């Protein structure tokens, strides 16, 4: 039995969508038996560049390799930054040695879940959401920040930008990784999503809140419903979702 002491129930799934011939997303969930934390990540190959699926695979592979070398009690912000920086170096070297005109790269949204906190790292437009009911604000909030070029929103409004996944940061396309990080308290009642842009491109946040706040919520049900909702809404991109919540919630509902 895989017993992990982070007290987390977690599920993930990736869907290529109805149009793409291959899936450029990859995801990672690593809960070492007897460990005190869980590592999760979603990586999305950059559209318009070659071999995005390779970049996202390298990202997840190197994160897993780093996590296996370090006891989970020592996973912290420094560990996560170091592991992602190494992944960036590996992808960049692959591009440099291959002299690629359009270097492969990927976005990333990664999180370490401990009993008391969630350590987040992100680059690009893959997102991390927290759902938590408290007075004074909406229950759903985006913990990550979308890294877009200056003037991106205006270009989309005027129709001058056709590619919705245009990002200003990624893994592998530059020598030095520009990564954002933050740590938030992990509330017992909170629920979390890590996802590629295929989830939210065509779905409003109200729909995400409805699924995460449902009476019969479980991470597996939420993942299934959100992917189905994205497909029914007409999403053509790859869709990848990880959903996590305190395991005790399953008994309370």
């Amino acid at each position: 039995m895989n017993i992990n002491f982070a007290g987390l129930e977690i599920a993930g799934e990736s869907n290529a969508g109805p149009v793409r011939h291959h899936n450029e997303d990859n995801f990672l969930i690593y809960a070492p038996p007897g460990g005190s934390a869980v590592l999760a990540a979603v990586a999305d190959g950059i559209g318009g560049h070659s071999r995005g699926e390779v970049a996202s695979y390298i990202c997840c592979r190197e994160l897993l390799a780093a996590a296996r070398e370090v006891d989970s009690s020592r996973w912290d912000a420094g560990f996560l930054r170091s592991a992602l920086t190494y992944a960036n170096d590996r992808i960049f070297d692959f591009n440099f040695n291959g002299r690629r005109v359009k270097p492969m790269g990927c976005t990333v949204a990664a999180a370490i879940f401990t009993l008391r906190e969630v350590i987040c790292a992100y680059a690009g437009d893959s997102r991390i959401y927290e759902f938590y009911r408290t007075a004074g604000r909406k229950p759903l909030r985006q913990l990550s920040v979308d890294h877009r070029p200056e003037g991106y929103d205006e270009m989309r409004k005027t129709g001058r930008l056709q590619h919705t996944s245009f990002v200003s940061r990624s893994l592998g396309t530059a020598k030095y990784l520009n990564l954002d990080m933050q740590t938030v308290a992990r509330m017992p009642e909170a629920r979390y999503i890590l996802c590629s842009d295929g989830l939210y491109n065509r779905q409003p946040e109200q729909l995400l809140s409805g699924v995460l706040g449902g009476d019969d919520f479980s991470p597996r049900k939420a993942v299934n419903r959100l992917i189905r909702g994205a497909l029914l809404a007409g999403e053509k991109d790859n869709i990848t979702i990880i959903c996590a919540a305190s395991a005790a919630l399953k008994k309370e509902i």
Side-chain angles (χ1 to χ4, degrees):
M1 180 181 292
N2 185 346
I3 299 176
N4 185 285
F5 297 106
L8 198 73
E9 183 182 1
I10 191 166
E13 188 173 335
S14 188
N15 189 296
V19 174
R20 302 291 179 90
H21 295 295
H22 63 286
N23 193 342
E24 295 196 343
D25 292 357
N26 274 285
F27 74 93
L28 164 69
I29 297 173
Y30 180 48
S36 57
V38 176
L39 173 63
V42 168
D44 179 1
I46 298 174
H49 290 229
S50 62
R51 306 188 73 179
E53 72 280 4
V54 177
S56 64
Y57 169 76
I58 292 174
C59 174
C60 292
R61 182 190 68 188
E62 296 304 333
L63 272 176
L64 177 60
R68 284 176 168 168
E69 292 296 320
V70 178
D71 188 272
S72 61
S73 63
R74 294 166 53 201
W75 294 352
D76 56 14
F79 159 79
L80 189 54
R81 180 180 292 277
S82 177
L84 287 170
T85 298
Y86 184 72
N88 182 80
D89 292 344
R90 292 299 302 273
I91 301 169
F92 181 83
D93 289 345
F94 196 103
N95 286 325
F96 183 81
N97 294 333
R99 298 182 179 181
R100 298 181 179 278
V101 177
K102 293 185 176 181
M104 68 180 184
C106 66
T107 68
V108 66
I112 295 171
F113 295 91
T114 72
L115 278 172
R116 293 186 174 86
E117 61 188 18
V118 183
I119 304 167
C120 306
Y122 40 91
D125 62 357
S126 291
R127 291 182 178 180
I128 304 173
Y129 288 100
E130 176 194 65
F131 180 89
Y132 176 62
R133 291 189 177 96
T134 186
R137 68 171 176 86
K138 296 187 299 183
L140 186 71
R141 66 169 176 155
Q142 184 179 334
L143 299 179
S144 58
V145 175
D146 294 343
H147 296 130
R148 306 286 195 185
E150 186 176 352
Y152 171 85
D153 290 335
E154 184 62 28
M155 286 188 288
R156 285 203 64 188
K157 289 177 183 177
T158 58
R160 288 180 290 159
L161 184 64
Q162 300 300 319
H163 188 22
T164 60
S165 297
F166 200 43
V167 296
S168 59
R169 297 191 198 180
S170 62
L171 266 68
T173 53
K175 177 63 177 175
Y176 299 104
L177 175 61
N178 192 359
L179 188 70
D180 275 351
M181 301 192 69
Q182 69 164 310
T183 299
V184 299
R186 179 181 157 195
M187 307 305 291
E189 302 85 2
R191 299 161 183 182
Y192 301 91
I193 284 180
L194 288 73
C195 65
S196 61
D197 62 334
L199 171 65
Y200 62 81
N201 277 338
R202 297 175 183 269
Q203 296 190 100
E205 289 190 347
Q206 293 91 329
L207 188 146
L208 305 187
S209 290
V211 172
L212 292 174
D215 292 337
D216 62 343
F217 168 86
S218 75
R220 170 49 56 195
K221 288 179 181 178
V223 167
N224 290 342
R225 289 169 179 170
L226 289 170
I227 287 182
R228 183 173 181 270
L231 293 172
L232 289 174
E235 181 56 46
K236 296 179 174 60
D237 199 359
N238 308 147
I239 309 160
T240 301
I241 305 169
I242 295 173
C243 184
S246 295
L249 287 176
K250 189 174 182 180
K251 297 177 182 179
E252 294 170 2
I253 293 176

